[in-house]
Each structure stands twice: as C-alpha cells, then as structure tokens.
Amino acid sequence: MSIGAAARAFATGRVSRQTAVIAAVLLCAITLTVAFLNKARCAGAPFRADGRSVAFDYVKDARVCYSDIQFLWLGRDIDQHIFPYVHGGITADGSLIGGAVEYPVLSGLLMWLGALGADNDAMFLLYSALLLAPFALLTAWLLARMAGRAALLWAVGPPLVLYAFHNWELPVVCTTVAAMAVMVPSRRPVRSRAIVAAVLLGLGFCFKIYPAIFVLPLMLYVLTDGDRGPDANGRTRLDIRGALWTGAAAAATVAVVNLPFAIAGYDGWRASIEFQQQRQADITTNSIWFWGLRPLFGTDRVGTAAFADTVAIASPMLIIASFVLALYIGRRRYLETGVYPWIGVSGAMLCGFLLFHKVHSPQYTLWLIPFLVVLAVPWPVVWSYLVADIAIGVGVFRYFYAMGTGHSVELMEAVVRFGVWGRATLLVFLFVLFLKVPLRKPRDRAAPAEAPAGGVEPAPAIAPANRFQ
C-alpha cells in the first residue's frame, strides 16, 4: 500500500486496526521530515566563529523558522559541550552559566547529547531532531492504537509541523501518552498498571514539569478501584494502599532521576527552577496576563514591578483553583458513573495550567493534542483551536519581524490578539468538555462509518467510556 493510499484509507476508516497504526506512524514520519525542513530554513552555512548560522538572526522571524533548539546553541554553554547542571548556576541578573539550563534534567541531558559531535547550530538542530523524532513516532503509534484515525490529528496536524523541533517537547508528550496507554483496561491489576503509569509520569516530570499534575487524578482512579467500578451491590472498594503506592512510584522516580544532579551540583540543578521562577510575563510569553492585565499598569519601573507582583500571586492561585475545580467535577462524575474520569480530569487540569500560567509558549499545544485525540471532543472545536494556535504560532513571529524592521504592526498584532484570546476562550470550553465527553472509538473495517450527531464519537472498543478515564 502506498503512503497516499494508506492515508486515504486511514482517513475513511477502510483499513484494519494494524494497518491504521502503521499508516499513522508512516504519515507521522513524513510530517516530521517537513517539520525539520521548515526549521532548517534558519540554519546552514555560512557560520560565524561561534557556530551560529549567519542567516538565523535575519530570517528566524520573517520566515517563521525560529526554534529554541537552534537559538540555545549559544548562551547555555551547549556549544562548549559542558555536561549540564553539575558546574552551573544562575547569576544575580538571571543569566544561566556553566552548563545550567532552564529545563528539568532529562531535557538537559537531551540537549547535551544533541550537541555531541556538533560544532554549529545547524548540526545541533539536526542531531537534536534525530534524538526527538522517535518519541513522536512512538506517540503516533500509541495514539492510533488507543483512538484510531483520530491519531491523524497528531500525525499530520499543523502543530507537529510547527513545533516538533521548536523545543524539547516530544519526549514529555510521549511519556504522558504512554501512561494513558498503560492504563487501558486489561487483565493486569489496576494497581500494577497505575504504578507503571506513575513511573512514566515521573519521567515526564523530569523532561518538563506538567505531567506531575496528572498523578493526583491517577491516584484517585486507583483509590476508587479504577476500571472495576462498583460491585453488584453498588459498593466500591477503596484501594488506599494502591493509591499511595502510585503516588510513591511517581515521587521515587523523580527523586532517583534528580538526586544525582542535585548532589553533583546543587547550584546548577537549582538554577533551572530559579530561572523559571524569575521569568516574567512579557511579550514573549503569549499569555493572557501580558495581553489582558499588563495594559492596566504603567510602563515605568513601578508599574512593571506591580504587574510582576500581581501575576506572581494571581497566576498560581488561579491555577490551583482550576485544579480543585477539575478534581471536584471529577468526583461528581465518579458519583454518577462509579468510575473516576482520570484522563478527563487530567486534561481539564492541563487547560487550567495553560490558561493561567504566566508563560504559554506556542509549542505547548503539543501537550494538549493527545487529549484532543483520546477524548471525543467535537471536531469543530478541535479545528477552532488549531486556527487560534496557528495565529499564535505564525503570527507572533511575523509580529516580532514587523517590530524589528519598523514595519506596521497593527495587522500582526491583531492576529496575535486573536490567537491569544481565541485560544484562551477555547481552553475554558475544553476544560468543561474534557470532563464530560467519552473516549474516541478506533474504528475497524467492519465498524459502521457514521459517528453520533454532534461529531462526538463513542468510546474505544477496548473499554467502555467510563472504564478508561
């Protein structure tokens, strides 16, 4: 079967599940190639003495080919091949030195590995892409197994083209999806599956922080006996020990991975945390705080400080409030159905985090895509989110280009504002939907092609809707 034929068959559901999974992986490989070629437009000879592509500073915004990977070739001692964290630290003005980077330790290791053998930013981009690509392919494979053709949203969607090699997001997304896949109901006990999933989420935390927020919903799922649900008398056995083991597995994983770095170079390890704490909600963060709250404060030093202090208090408070609300609604769903919807609650908590965090980088969309694949969100909502995301992912760089060259910024600023507020509105909507909708059903050749009204597909054949969440 050719790639084109596989794509058409996959999209229309006229293939076996195994063929659909293979097609998803092959199509994802093609998308990754396009994604790399897009970023590579910013990289290549001639190079400066420090290995920076001469073209990078001139075309990164105009061509929308900027990537943090290429940018961070300089400024973090990556070009010097210094092992991360051990000899590093952070200066009084917030600059990272001596191999310290702003990400958790496993991301720092990937950055170091990607730089081995590289002597310029183009080679660093290529080697990093080769390290990251397998995580995207594994994610496509897992999503296709769980959700069928909906995995096309990951495999060939615009976010993967724009952000696959923008930053080091692919490993953390892969660990999160793998944790979901492990929890698919099977003959294995819920507790043992949850412990494996918790280890995966702990590893995800060591790439980027956000998977840590999914551990609590997973613990509640185990506490309420997971996919077994209530017995014939309507009673649910509370597995307190299993829930505690699940949380302990995640915590132990984080400790085992981080402790060697903290012992070898505490200042360098701590610097990544301090850097994120000091980061301000400025024009580069794409958050509602800059575009919504910043105009209410003055542009002088006093106004800037007051704005930063306000965000430092309001942002974590609202994030925590959104978490509590998601957990509360999840409990109500549990009382109605007998099964705790841990995936839906996790997705809602992620929406709260993305909405209220002071930083909302464009590539964070990759975090959200698996939830849009696995949960049966109506497709018009998905397409709307992608439109808002493209407005940010493309518009913000064209906006920076217009500002840097003195061109009129009104059009691009309007595009960015549309993206910021469109995305924020849809995150609120998705917060509610994630807590209501079932899971998507992977269709096989014999399955009916029609979906229920409203674009919401039924839950996967591998388990009833309320048994996987």
Side-chain angles (χ1 to χ4, degrees), residues 1 23 31 37 121 163 174 235 266 276 296 298 357 379 432 455:
M1 178 181 290
T31 304
L37 292 175
D121 59 359
Y163 313 126
C174 185
R235 295 190 298 267
Y266 179 79
Q276 297 298 339
L296 302 180
H357 194 249
W379 287 111
V432 177

Side-chain angles (χ1 to χ4, degrees), residues 161-173:
V161 175
L162 291 172
Y163 313 126
F165 306 120
H166 187 94
N167 198 284
W168 290 266
E169 311 300 332
L170 295 178
V172 65
V173 175

Side-chain angles (χ1 to χ4, degrees), residues 291 391-392 395-396 399 411-421:
W291 291 102
I392 289 288
V396 72
Y399 180 49
L411 176 59
M412 285 298 104
E413 182 174 319
V415 171
V416 173
R417 288 182 181 276
F418 166 79
V420 168
W421 294 112

Side-chain angles (χ1 to χ4, degrees), residues 97-157:
I97 58 173
V101 297
E102 55 265 62
Y103 306 119
V105 295
L106 291 185
S107 288
L109 275 180
L110 280 179
M111 296 167 73
W112 176 73
L113 287 171
L116 291 179
D119 55 22
N120 58 63
D121 59 359
M123 294 175 66
F124 180 49
L125 177 64
L126 173 60
Y127 296 164
S128 297
L130 293 174
L131 281 174
L132 294 172
F135 293 101
L137 296 172
L138 179 55
T139 300
W141 181 77
L142 292 169
L143 288 174
R145 288 180 59 83
M146 287 190 289
R149 63 177 181 158
L152 281 174
L153 180 61
W154 170 264
V156 299

Side-chain angles (χ1 to χ4, degrees), residues 219-269:
M219 291 175 64
L220 293 173
Y221 178 75
V222 177
L223 176 68
T224 55
D225 214 19
D227 44 274
R228 292 182 60 183
D231 59 23
N233 298 318
R235 295 190 298 267
T236 299
R237 181 180 65 88
L238 296 181
D239 186 4
I240 298 175
R241 182 175 296 181
L244 292 176
W245 272 111
T246 300
T253 302
V254 172
V256 167
V257 173
N258 280 272
L259 197 57
F261 291 91
I263 292 174
Y266 179 79
D267 290 340
W269 174 79

